[in-house]
Amino acid sequence: MTTDRSTALQLCPLSPYLEAGLAERFNVVRWFDLAPGAQADWLAEHAGEVRAAATGGHIGCPSALMERLPALRIVAINGVGFDKVDLDLARARGVRVTTTPGTLTEDVADLAIGLVIALLRDLPAAAAHVRRGDWPDAERPLARKVSGRRFGILGLGHIGLAVAQRLAAFGPVAYYDPHRKDVPYDYFPDLLALAGASDVLCVAAAANPATRHLVDADVLAALGPDGYLVNISRGSVVDEAALTEALTAGRLAGAALDVFENEPHVPAALRSSDRTVLTPHIASATVETRRAMADMVLANLDAVMAGQEPPAAVA
Ligand code: 8YV
């Protein structure tokens, strides 16, 4: 652990465990708690003191902020997504960017399975029915069977593979990825073809310019009125407006989403639809996983502050 108490900016809320670890090492400034005016005032006086930034994958580090911090040495992401950090800019400025690979794969894949079952079996509505006391008066409409469905996975990285392994217990699994993998699942080099051959399409692709709106109106049309979409990666991979339209018009049976294009804001039409199951980006949010993520964030910070190679750098 580094002993010099330089300043770290904390760009979003983090777990109490991680916040305590940061406070042991740094003078922590809770950047997200400062109003924009207060941020500007603070930077005018202290920008040169900041040597580290700790942030979430969904928040990253704005380029305009990175450019204001001449002594910044590391952006430590508490997550695996680095789509909100300009890696070229970081490299040009000698800033290391680190993530927490491997820590959250199981949790994210587990949530994908939970969402598939919740969506097809209509679990949120069924649970609300009991809570409201409606059970004595009415039966729930029948839901849809999960086992035997054809599952398509978009993106077969670590998380996509873990989703595939779990879904294989329910039905046939196929995948689309730019690269064919050595796995026992059918490969589709074309996403439209995969969507057409799937009952449930599960999005597990990393966000980058090439995957932006990869799930568009055409892919949703190929999935069809009996098809379901599940997204546990990033909102940007799905054209949310096209998805909303397809659900509203009944051209898609349903969608379960943990991530959104403009988090934490979710379009009203998605929130009010009875074809959606929505969760607030909780795929990695378990006590165990957030602790493992925090340990890796701290290890990355300690290494960089000690002038060593961090365990999990992406830049
Ligand atoms: C977290 C994530 O919600 O790993 C990622 O990229 O988006 C999630 O695990 C987030 O980063 C928590 O800080």
Side-chain angles (χ1 to χ4, degrees), residues 80-308:
V80 294
F82 47 87
D83 48 301
K84 297 277 173 65
V85 182
D86 182 338
L87 299 189
D88 290 334
L89 177 67
R91 282 188 201 103
R93 298 182 65 84
V95 175
R96 304 307 303 269
V97 181
T98 60
T99 59
T100 66
T103 53
L104 47 73
T105 308
E106 292 174 341
D107 271 11
V108 178
D110 292 351
L111 187 81
I113 307 312
L115 289 177
V116 168
I117 297 175
L119 183 62
L120 273 73
R121 299 300 302 268
D122 218 2
L123 291 190
H129 182 76
V130 177
R131 272 192 203 279
R132 275 196 309 268
D134 287 352
W135 190 6
D137 303 319
E139 292 283 319
R140 289 284 309 153
L142 297 179
R144 302 303 301 268
K145 180 166 174 152
V146 176
S147 289
R149 296 267 156 201
R150 299 166 304 161
F151 298 101
I153 314 244
L154 163 50
L156 211 75
H158 293 291
I159 292 173
L161 181 60
V163 173
Q165 288 163 342
R166 286 157 173 74
L167 285 176
F170 295 91
V173 174
Y175 71 102
Y176 162 78
D177 190 279
H179 309 285
R180 190 186 201 118
K181 309 279 167 97
D182 183 18
V183 291
Y185 312 117
D186 284 345
Y187 177 57
F188 282 73
D190 177 59
L191 177 58
L192 266 185
L194 175 70
S198 302
D199 301 310
V200 181
L201 182 65
C202 187
V203 182
N208 56 49
T211 62
R212 185 180 151 71
H213 286 190
L214 208 51
V215 177
D216 58 9
D218 292 341
V219 170
L220 297 170
L223 200 49
D226 290 323
Y228 295 89
L229 183 77
V230 174
N231 189 2
I232 43 75
S233 68
R234 278 289 186 273
S236 65
V237 183
V238 175
D239 180 340
E240 209 166 71
L243 172 64
T244 306
E245 252 182 69
L247 288 168
T248 309
R251 295 196 304 268
L252 190 71
L257 310 168
D258 186 50
V259 287
F260 303 86
E261 280 204 82
N262 186 27
E263 293 176 19
H265 306 288
V266 178
L270 289 182
R271 283 190 277 118
S272 61
S273 171
D274 57 10
R275 293 178 184 272
T276 58
V277 172
L278 310 173
T279 49
H281 202 144
I282 55 163
S284 69
T286 67
V287 171
E288 296 83 355
T289 288
R290 283 292 163 88
R291 193 175 173 116
M293 290 164 69
D295 285 336
M296 199 174 281
V297 170
L298 295 173
N300 283 322
L301 285 165
D302 286 344
V304 170
M305 297 311 287
Q308 293 158 6

